[in-house]
């Protein structure tokens, strides 16, 4: 099942906090390689040219700066959707897992 299917079923989902999302966005937007690609012919100038397009043009790749990754992370569904359980450290993640696993 995909993230959106699990979300629509109301299953509690633990996701990284917005402050941590740029770390996950650095390699690409997601783990599904079929959708994490650039169109043929659309290349990003190497860092030696330094005339890189701004973040508004979707530069969430290895040439993107931390500020640009933060910009895109703040607009992502993981940051914007309500009712997600967000964690910002491993200790917080373990605590939330323990709380959610406690019988009610």
């Amino acid at each position: 099942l995909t993230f959106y299917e699990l979300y629509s079923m109301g299953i509690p989902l633990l996701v990284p906090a917005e402050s941590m999302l740029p770390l996950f966005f650095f390699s690409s937007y997601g783990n599904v390689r079929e959708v994490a690609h650039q169109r043929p012919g659309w290349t990003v100038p190497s860092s030696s040219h330094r005339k890189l397009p701004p973040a508004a043009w979707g530069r969430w790749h290895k040439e993107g700066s931390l500020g640009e990754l933060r910009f895109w992370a703040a607009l992502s569904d993981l940051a914007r959707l309500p009712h997600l359980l967000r964690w910002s450290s491993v200790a917080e993640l373990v605590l939330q897992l323990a709380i959610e696993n406690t019988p009610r």
Side-chain angles (χ1 to χ4, degrees):
L1 296 175
T2 67
F3 169 79
Y4 298 102
E5 290 169 331
L6 294 170
Y7 181 79
S8 67
M9 290 189 298
I11 294 174
L13 297 173
L14 291 154
V15 298
E18 186 177 327
S19 61
M20 293 186 65
L21 288 177
L23 301 173
F24 293 89
F25 282 27
F26 181 72
S27 296
S28 77
Y29 185 75
N31 294 329
V32 181
R33 294 291 171 216
E34 291 81 29
V35 298
H37 68 279
Q38 284 184 325
R39 292 181 72 174
W42 288 22
T43 60
V44 177
S46 66
S47 57
S48 62
H49 295 98
R50 289 321 297 163
K51 281 206 143 199
L52 299 174
W57 292 102
R59 290 194 331 100
W60 35 262
H61 49 71
K62 58 186 170 189
E63 291 289 330
S65 70
L66 182 59
E68 292 166 336
L69 293 170
R70 284 184 182 148
F71 172 83
W72 284 110
L75 297 175
S76 72
D77 289 339
L78 292 177
R80 310 284 287 177
L81 287 173
H83 313 296
L84 294 173
L85 304 172
R86 294 177 174 84
W87 52 272
S88 56
S89 68
V90 174
E92 191 175 340
L93 173 63
V94 171
L95 178 64
Q96 286 191 16
L97 284 170
I99 291 169
E100 288 301 315
N101 200 27
T102 305
R104 296 172 197 221

